[in-house]
Amino acid sequence: MREADELTGLLQAWREDIDSVPFPTFAELLIPAQKQRSAPSHVTTASVQVTKTTGWSDI
């Protein structure tokens, strides 16, 4: 019974410790607004040309 009383006391102290910490409000957790990016003025395309194979297709 003594152990149960000690555990009850520890649990109560733990609850009081948890309750003493303020829970953050959602206003504190807001992410600041990000800058809007505009689309690039011109789009460039890249062409790739394979000049040498590595031999993986022979396996």
Side-chain angles (χ1 to χ4, degrees), residues 5-59:
D5 291 339
E6 289 179 9
L7 288 175
T8 301
L10 289 172
L11 180 61
Q12 184 62 33
W14 178 74
R15 285 181 176 169
E16 290 172 0
D17 188 41
I18 294 296
D19 290 340
S20 70
V21 177
F23 190 77
T25 62
F26 289 107
E28 297 172 13
L29 300 176
L30 289 177
I31 299 172
Q34 302 293 311
K35 292 181 180 178
Q36 295 289 334
R37 294 192 216 176
S38 59
S41 58
H42 66 281
V43 178
T44 58
T45 59
S47 61
V48 177
Q49 188 175 16
V50 178
T51 57
K52 184 178 179 183
T53 59
T54 58
W56 282 87
S57 61
D58 297 337
I59 296 176

